[in-house]
Every structure is written in C-alpha cells, then in structure tokens.
Amino acid sequence: MGRVSTSVIAQARRRQLVEAAIEVIDEVGVGAASLVQISRRAGVSRGVINYHVAGRAPLFEAVVEHVYALGREVVAPDTESAATATAAIAAMIHGSIAFYTRYPREMRVLSALFVSDDPDSPNRSGHREHADEIERVAAIVERGHAGGEFRAVDGRLAAAMLRAALDEALARITADVDTTGLGAEIEAAMRALLGADHL
Amino acid sequence: MGRVSTSVIAQARRRQLVEAAIEVIDEVGVGAASLVQISRRAGVSRGVINYHVAGRAPLFEAVVEHVYALGREVVAPDTESAATATAAIAAMIHGSIAFYTRYPREMRVLSALFVSDDPDSPNRSGHREHADEIERVAAIVERGHAGGEFRAVDGRLAAAMLRAALDEALARITADVDTTGLGAEIEAAMRALLGADHL
Amino acid sequence: MGRVSTSVIAQARRRQLVEAAIEVIDEVGVGAASLVQISRRAGVSRGVINYHVAGRAPLFEAVVEHVYALGREVVAPDTESAATATAAIAAMIHGSIAFYTRYPREMRVLSALFVSDDPDSPNRSGHREHADEIERVAAIVERGHAGGEFRAVDGRLAAAMLRAALDEALARITADVDTTGLGAEIEAAMRALLGADHL
Amino acid sequence: MGRVSTSVIAQARRRQLVEAAIEVIDEVGVGAASLVQISRRAGVSRGVINYHVAGRAPLFEAVVEHVYALGREVVAPDTESAATATAAIAAMIHGSIAFYTRYPREMRVLSALFVSDDPDSPNRSGHREHADEIERVAAIVERGHAGGEFRAVDGRLAAAMLRAALDEALARITADVDTTGLGAEIEAAMRALLGADHL
DNA sequence: CATGAATGAGGCTTCATTCAT
DNA sequence: TATGAATGAAGCCTCATTCAT
C-alpha cells in the first residue's frame, strides 16, 4: 500500500512535469524552454525535475511519448479498421483533426520537438513512430493503387502533402479559425490528388 | 575614395559572413551555429562579425535575404509571365526544383531558419516574404478557379500542400536520390488536386 | 526489548553500510562515492544512510575504523610479541602482506581515504592511528639501533620507505601478480637498509 | 608586432592561470579547487579561464606540464650524465631535493594531482612521465646489478622506496624542518638498500 | 577597419541533507 | 525504523557582446 502511494506520487510528478513542459514549450519554443522555467511552471523546485526525470532530454522524450499515447487512443483504431484505402485516408484525416481539436497544444509541441535542433530534442529521424506515419500512409496509397482505387502516385509525396494539409488544419485550430468543413475539404483534396473519384 | 574602398570591403565582408553562416547552419543547425564557429569558418576574427553585422539576429536576417535574392532571380520571372494559372503553378514547381538543385544548401538553411525557435532566428510568421509565397500561390489558385481552370479549392490549403511537395523534392535532392520526373509528378499531383484536368 | 532489537538492527545496518561504502569507494574512488550509490549498493533507501550514520564524513570515518579493527586482529599481535627489533619488522611485513592478501579491497580503500582530499575524507595527518604506525616503526628502529641491531637510521624515513614497500605489495596483489617471495624480498631490503646484516 | 603581443598576452594569462591553480590546489586540495576560486585568485573574471584554457581538466593538465618543465631543467641532466649507477641514484636524490627546495609548492601540487581521484585530474597511471620515473629508476638498479655495483634487488620495489624517501623529504621541507644532511641520509639508505657498499 | 581579450549571464547537472509520512 | 520526495547550493561550460588597442 505504502509502495503504491510512493509510486503514485512519482508518476503524478512525472505527469505534472511533462504537462508543465508542454505548456512552456508551447509558449516559448523548445530551445527557450529551460528547466528552470518548467519547474517554476510546475510550481516545484529546480531539483525535483532532476530527481524525477533523468534530465532535459529524457523529459522531452517523455513529452513525445505522452502525446503519442494520447494520439494512439484517438486516431489509430479507425484507420486500421477501415475497409478501403479511401476510407483509411478519410479516417486518418478526420481522426487527426479530432485529435488536434482536443489537444492542439500537445500537437503543436510534438511538431516543435520534431522540428527542433535543440540538442535535447528527440528529433524526427530518430523516432520510429514518425517514420511509421509516412510509411503507413505510403502503404495505404500503394494498396489503393493495387486495388484499383487510386491512380499511380508517389506514396511518400502524397504522405508529405497530407501531413502538410493536417498541419494547416492544426494552424487554423490554433488561430481559432473556424474549421467546419475543413476535414471534408482535405478529404476532397486527397481524393482528387489520389484519383479516387475517377469512376 | 577611402570611403569607397571601405564600402566595398564592408560589402565583401558581409557576403563572406553570410556564406560562412550558411555553411555552418547547414552543418550543425541553427541553434548550434555560434558566432565563434561562423567567424572561424569565415577565417576572420570574432570581432569582425560584430563590427560588420549588428549581431547574431541581423546576421541570420541577412542570410534569409541573401537566399531570397537568389530565389527571385530563378523562380519569380517565369511564374509571373505565365499565361494561365495552370502554367503559373507549373512554372513555380519547375522553377523551385531548379533552384533547389542549384542551391540546395541555401534552401535547406532557409527552411531551417524559418522553422527554428532560436531567439535570433527570423521566424516564418514574422516574415513578409514567406507569407507572400503563400498568398501568391493562393491568388493563383483563386484566379484559376475564377477562370474556370480549377475546381473550388481552399487556396491556402493548396499552397501548404504544394510547399510540402517542394520540401519533399528538396529532401530528395539532399539525399542524392534521383529526382528525374519528380517535377512532372508534382505537377501532375497539383493538377489533380486542383482539378485542372477535368476537361 | 524493542530497544535491544533496534540496537542489533542498527549495528547490522551500520556494518552493512560500511561494507557497501568500501565496495563503492574501491570501484569508483572516494570523490565519486556518493551516498546515493552507496545506499543503492547496500540495497537500502537513501534515507536510511542518514538515519543510521550522521552523514558522509562519519560514514567514511566508520570505514576507517572498521578496517583498522580488521588490521589489529591480524598484524598487531605478532609485531608486539617479537623479541628483537629485526623480528618485529619482519613480523610487520609478513603480517601486513597477509592482511592485504585477505582484505585487499579494504586496504585499498583505507589508502584511498587517507590520500583523498575529499572534504568528507578523514585524511592522513589528522588520524591518530596512522601517525601511530609511523611512530611505532620509528620506535622499533630506535630500539634496534640502541640494542646494536641496526645502524643509525632516520626512523621516520625508514618508516616511510617500509610503507612504500608495503604499498607496492598491495599494488601487486591487486594486479594479481604473483607475490611469492615478495615478503622475503621486502624483509631483505629492510634488513639491508637498517644494517641488520652487518654481523 | 601586433601579432606577437596578442600571443604574449595569451601566454601570460595561461601562465598566470596555471600559477593561480597551483596556489589554490596547494591550499585547498584538488577536489576543492574550483574554477571560481582559481579565477578569483588570479584576479580575473570567471569567463577568462574558459577563454584561455579549454576547461578544468586541460588546466590541470597544463599545471602538470608546467611542473614537469621546471623539473626537467633541474633534475634530468645530472642523472643522465652520471657515470655509475650509484652516482645516478645519488644525482637523482640530490637533484630532487634541490628541486623540492626551490619549488615545494609545485611539487606538492604535482603529487596531489597524481594521487587525486578528481575526474579532471590527470591521474598517475595515464601519465607517461610518471611511469617513466619508475622505469628509469628500475633500469638504473638493473644496470647497477649487471655491473656488479648492486646486489640483486627488485627494481620496482626499490623505485617505490626511493620515491617514498623523496616524498618524506618534501614533507619535511614543507614543514620547515631542517633538511640539512637529509640528502646524504637518503643516499646512505639507498646505498645500503642496494648493497652499494659491500666492497 | 580589425583584433581578440574579457565579461557575465544563463543553463544543466550532481549531491548531501532535511523532513513528512 | 524506514522511506523517498524535495530542496537548494555549487560547480562547469557556452556564448553573445563590449571594448581597448
């Protein structure tokens, strides 16, 4: 029992620190997100951050994993259960937008961490999950082509363009611009791009 | 007379520093590109950099402008002289790829600066020129729609996707992947996306 | 009753901590032997170490006393019961080597602590026991000279040289070099040095 | 001209810093010799130390080399030009004592650095020069034995004992004890030890 | 114009110790 | 007794910038 409570405290602190890190990174950027600021934001002393998380890099790593965990709950299921390639793309689009709407800050921070050249930032290339996203989309595109749903398209190119469209969605959500119909618009764009409407 | 020679020197120094900055940023990233390293790369003393450029931020600003100046010579003319919206998009695509092929380092550094959260980096949103690019593409898309060339598309969305496609091209050029036919592929993708082939 | 059991526990804990400290110091050195590491090695929590021992310095002090206690059992008796000065020196040499062979780690740590300038380390000069060793040897040398066994030698000098010889023995034991005959060799060296063979 | 003066400044600063480091290490020990203290002692700002010397470890390295340079001037020549092994040992003894008398602080610091387990300290085993000393003495002893000057002695053992004798001399010099005749005493001890007087 | 020496702020990390539970 | 969470001091290092020469 005692055991559980200590572990619970540590876990809660970790989560608290991860969330404070997200807030700070979102406000000042990765490079400027110092541990002092993060600990201040969390309302704890400087030392606690190094007591609970091995350092700055591991903290940022934890942030990435935290956001991925959130994402997996929202996006993944629908995408995988889709019957057709067209439906899979659509599921990914709407799932992503739903996720961004619910966790815009988390998603902005995730992007910021992947793009950052901060020495403590887990950068894009090293991360399995991000590379996976491109591969996954590319695979769907291949499948769609093989099954006659799509025209011949460069899968990685299409993946990059989809990612950009989703980033644009995130930007609008962030700017509080109305995004009603944006999912449908992106879906239409991808269908056109992939030649899914040719019949 | 003395003045003239000094001005010439000053200009040469500025250019030298800008080029050294580009090399260093391309190799170690924006955040790690310290003035010490840049001055070392330029083969000059630490002091000269602060003598000729007001500081780190202005130097990076100068880098951006230097690359834009290069870009304008290559890309802009064709785009503007294009008769149809479809041709304008095509001109932009092929012009950009030509530019990236010629100045890959410069383009990578430009992207790095725009994306970076380094306090001295002139970031994307603040920059007139970058916003202009999006507006320009969006305007072409509008014109294409008004003229019956394109279907109704969200201009900024299309612009973001085009940018992503071009970034993918830059990535492949950087990775020394064969990019023959990539311009055509992107052009085809944009035509499909914009509904330019519907007739 | 509770008291008794606690005292037993406390004593066991102290010993456990001292032994863990010895292991850690021997592996990473005095300066790097942090309480965290020592407690981890002992398999106990961080708190226990400050609960049972007043701090880092007292812990190291306890280490020294522990090793001295071991040493007294092995070395002292023979030395004191020796009939002649020559025999006393021989007893000390062979006793020491026997001790080092049995407790090399303990002896290395003792040396490390005496030599260290760590603020928590009980350093050589301050320590009664170590000064005693020198005096004891010097006294034996004096006695040997007075009794006509030895030539006139600077006692403290001889003591320092004997200590160095024994340290060399410890180093070889540590390096797993064969030390057969080394005791005799050192004994011969000291006899020559002290002029014990002049007859 | 200008060039020379700048280099001169840098060289002077390096030397100033090395000397300040020696003073501080001698007073508070290696582990407690922080860069703050050293810079304060040198009367310069914190930054200068990292401007002129790559870091703490390189500074200590520079200290070692500085002392070695001093030592080479005093000790080496006589030792090498000695005709017999006995004379070589004597030269080393008297040369060392002369050196310690002239630079006691430097020698104490050298010893402290070699013995220290501070992570920035260039430790004994790694250093060529120190290992050389033992080998050199051992070689002299071998030579003496081969030439019939000395009895059969373990060279490394004799080297260790000689070192201890010299350390004792340094300790007495430090304590301001009169060391008149100490050189002769050590020489006599080594002659006895090595059997140089057997004829 | 150019140099490079000097400064001091700011960041990360390690650690002994205290304390509530 | 024992735990482990929390603290804050102290150290090292990097770097943009200033300034005398």
Side-chain angles (χ1 to χ4, degrees):
Chain A
M1 302 288 166
R3 278 298 190 71
V4 175
S5 97
T6 72
S7 180
V8 153
I9 287 184
Q11 214 170 314
R13 270 276 183 265
R14 263 183 76 92
R15 182 171 186 120
Q16 181 193 9
L17 292 173
V18 163
E19 279 164 2
I22 289 176
E23 287 178 27
V24 174
I25 293 174
D26 189 42
E27 286 168 24
V28 304
V30 178
S34 72
L35 293 188
V36 192
Q37 268 187 85
I38 293 173
S39 61
R40 208 165 3 229
R41 173 68 53 107
V44 300
S45 91
R46 231 182 236 106
V48 80
I49 201 159
N50 255 80
Y51 177 81
H52 284 286
V53 196
R56 207 173 95 111
L59 176 60
F60 289 174
E61 180 78 15
V63 166
V64 169
E65 269 163 39
H66 174 73
V67 180
Y68 268 127
L70 293 177
R72 264 190 297 271
E73 295 169 14
V74 179
V75 182
D78 296 342
T79 313
E80 276 155 22
S81 64
T84 66
T86 312
I89 295 288
M92 172 169 281
I93 293 169
H94 296 290
S96 296
I97 293 183
F99 179 60
Y100 300 169
T101 305
R102 190 154 159 205
Y103 301 106
R105 213 168 46 185
E106 278 76 2
M107 189 60 206
R108 283 195 300 271
V109 168
L110 187 66
S111 299
L113 281 172
F114 278 151
V115 153
S116 171
D117 59 358
D118 186 291
D120 294 324
S121 163
N123 71 348
R124 198 168 227 150
S125 33
H127 247 268
R128 197 64 212 282
E129 317 235 18
H130 180 268
D132 274 2
E133 188 201 305
I134 292 185
E135 295 309 335
R136 207 158 45 230
V137 173
I140 295 175
V141 171
E142 290 307 318
R143 177 155 62 91
H145 175 54
E149 281 181 75
F150 301 158
R151 67 179 181 86
V153 193
D154 183 317
R156 303 182 65 90
L157 186 65
M161 294 176 78
L162 173 53
R163 172 105 303 276
L166 294 176
D167 283 348
E168 175 69 17
L170 177 58
R172 294 191 191 178
I173 289 168
T174 297
D176 250 329
V177 171
D178 174 42
T179 52
T180 313
L182 183 56
E185 175 84 29
I186 295 178
E187 192 188 336
M190 289 306 296
R191 291 172 72 109
L193 174 57
L194 297 169
D197 302 319
H198 64 114
L199 349 155
Chain B
M1 298 287 162
R3 275 303 186 74
V4 175
S5 96
T6 69
S7 178
V8 156
I9 287 182
Q11 211 170 315
R13 272 276 186 261
R14 268 181 71 92
R15 184 174 182 115
Q16 180 190 14
L17 292 173
V18 163
E19 279 165 0
I22 289 174
E23 286 178 29
V24 174
I25 293 174
D26 188 42
E27 286 169 22
V28 305
V30 178
S34 71
L35 293 187
V36 192
Q37 268 188 83
I38 293 173
S39 62
R40 202 158 18 218
R41 175 66 54 107
V44 302
S45 87
R46 284 162 169 71
V48 79
I49 203 159
N50 260 70
Y51 183 83
H52 283 288
V53 195
R56 206 171 93 112
L59 175 60
F60 288 174
E61 181 78 16
V63 166
V64 169
E65 270 163 36
H66 173 72
V67 180
Y68 268 126
L70 292 177
R72 263 190 299 271
E73 295 170 13
V74 178
V75 184
D78 296 342
T79 312
E80 276 155 22
S81 65
T84 64
T86 311
I89 293 289
M92 172 168 279
I93 291 168
H94 297 290
S96 295
I97 292 182
F99 179 59
Y100 300 168
T101 305
R102 190 155 159 205
Y103 300 107
R105 213 167 49 184
E106 280 75 3
M107 189 60 207
R108 281 195 301 270
V109 168
L110 188 66
S111 297
L113 281 171
F114 277 151
V115 153
S116 170
D117 59 358
D118 187 291
D120 295 323
S121 164
N123 70 349
R124 196 167 228 147
S125 32
H127 243 269
R128 196 68 212 285
E129 317 235 19
H130 180 268
D132 274 4
E133 188 201 307
I134 291 185
E135 295 308 336
R136 207 159 44 233
V137 174
I140 296 174
V141 172
E142 290 305 320
R143 177 155 61 92
H145 176 53
E149 278 181 79
F150 299 158
R151 69 179 180 84
V153 194
D154 183 314
R156 304 180 65 88
L157 186 64
M161 294 175 79
L162 173 53
R163 172 104 305 275
L166 294 176
D167 283 348
E168 176 69 17
L170 177 58
R172 294 190 193 179
I173 289 168
T174 296
D176 250 328
V177 171
D178 175 42
T179 53
T180 313
L182 184 57
E185 175 85 30
I186 295 178
E187 192 187 337
M190 290 306 297
R191 291 173 74 110
L193 175 57
L194 297 168
D197 302 317
H198 64 113
L199 349 156
Chain C
M1 300 287 165
R3 276 302 187 76
V4 174
S5 94
T6 69
S7 181
V8 156
I9 288 182
Q11 211 169 316
R13 273 276 186 260
R14 268 181 73 92
R15 184 175 183 115
Q16 180 191 14
L17 292 173
V18 163
E19 279 166 0
I22 289 175
E23 287 179 28
V24 174
I25 292 175
D26 188 42
E27 286 169 25
V28 304
V30 178
S34 71
L35 293 189
V36 192
Q37 268 187 84
I38 293 173
S39 61
R40 209 168 1 229
R41 175 65 55 106
V44 302
S45 86
R46 283 160 169 72
V48 78
I49 203 159
N50 260 70
Y51 182 84
H52 284 287
V53 195
R56 207 170 93 112
L59 175 60
F60 289 174
E61 180 78 17
V63 166
V64 170
E65 271 162 38
H66 173 73
V67 181
Y68 269 127
L70 293 177
R72 262 190 300 270
E73 296 169 14
V74 179
V75 183
D78 295 343
T79 313
E80 276 155 22
S81 65
T84 65
T86 311
I89 294 289
M92 172 169 279
I93 291 168
H94 296 290
S96 296
I97 292 182
F99 179 59
Y100 300 169
T101 305
R102 188 154 158 206
Y103 301 107
R105 212 168 48 185
E106 279 74 4
M107 190 60 206
R108 283 195 300 271
V109 167
L110 187 66
S111 298
L113 280 171
F114 277 152
V115 153
S116 171
D117 60 357
D118 187 291
D120 294 323
S121 164
N123 71 346
R124 198 167 225 148
S125 35
H127 244 267
R128 196 69 213 285
E129 316 234 21
H130 180 268
D132 274 2
E133 187 200 305
I134 292 184
E135 295 309 335
R136 206 158 45 231
V137 174
I140 296 173
V141 172
E142 290 306 317
R143 176 153 63 92
H145 175 54
E149 281 181 77
F150 300 158
R151 67 179 182 85
V153 195
D154 183 316
R156 303 181 64 90
L157 186 64
M161 294 175 78
L162 173 54
R163 172 105 303 276
L166 294 176
D167 282 347
E168 175 70 17
L170 177 57
R172 293 190 192 178
I173 289 168
T174 296
D176 249 328
V177 171
D178 174 42
T179 52
T180 313
L182 183 56
E185 174 85 30
I186 296 178
E187 192 187 338
M190 289 306 296
R191 292 172 72 110
L193 174 57
L194 297 169
D197 302 317
H198 64 112
L199 351 156
Chain D
M1 300 280 168
R3 276 300 190 71
V4 175
S5 97
T6 71
S7 180
V8 153
I9 287 183
Q11 214 170 313
R13 270 275 184 264
R14 263 182 75 92
R15 183 171 184 118
Q16 180 192 12
L17 292 173
V18 163
E19 279 164 2
I22 289 175
E23 287 178 27
V24 175
I25 292 174
D26 189 42
E27 286 169 23
V28 304
V30 178
S34 73
L35 295 189
V36 191
Q37 267 187 87
I38 294 172
S39 61
R40 212 171 354 235
R41 174 67 54 107
V44 301
S45 90
R46 231 181 237 106
V48 80
I49 201 159
N50 255 80
Y51 178 82
H52 285 286
V53 195
R56 207 172 95 110
L59 175 60
F60 289 174
E61 180 78 15
V63 167
V64 169
E65 268 161 42
H66 173 71
V67 180
Y68 269 127
L70 294 177
R72 266 189 297 270
E73 296 170 15
V74 179
V75 182
D78 295 341
T79 312
E80 277 155 22
S81 65
T84 65
T86 310
I89 295 286
M92 172 169 280
I93 292 168
H94 296 289
S96 295
I97 292 182
F99 179 60
Y100 301 169
T101 305
R102 191 155 159 205
Y103 302 106
R105 214 169 46 184
E106 279 75 3
M107 190 59 208
R108 280 195 302 271
V109 167
L110 188 66
S111 298
L113 280 172
F114 277 152
V115 152
S116 170
D117 60 356
D118 186 292
D120 294 323
S121 164
N123 71 347
R124 196 167 228 149
S125 32
H127 245 267
R128 199 63 212 282
E129 317 234 19
H130 179 268
D132 274 2
E133 188 200 304
I134 291 185
E135 295 308 335
R136 206 159 43 233
V137 174
I140 296 174
V141 171
E142 291 305 319
R143 177 156 62 92
H145 175 54
E149 279 181 77
F150 300 157
R151 67 176 181 87
V153 194
D154 183 316
R156 304 183 63 90
L157 186 65
M161 293 175 79
L162 172 53
R163 173 105 303 275
L166 293 175
D167 283 348
E168 175 68 18
L170 177 58
R172 293 191 191 177
I173 290 168
T174 297
D176 250 329
V177 171
D178 174 42
T179 53
T180 314
L182 184 55
E185 175 83 30
I186 295 178
E187 192 188 337
M190 289 306 296
R191 291 173 72 108
L193 175 56
L194 297 168
D197 302 318
H198 64 113
L199 352 156

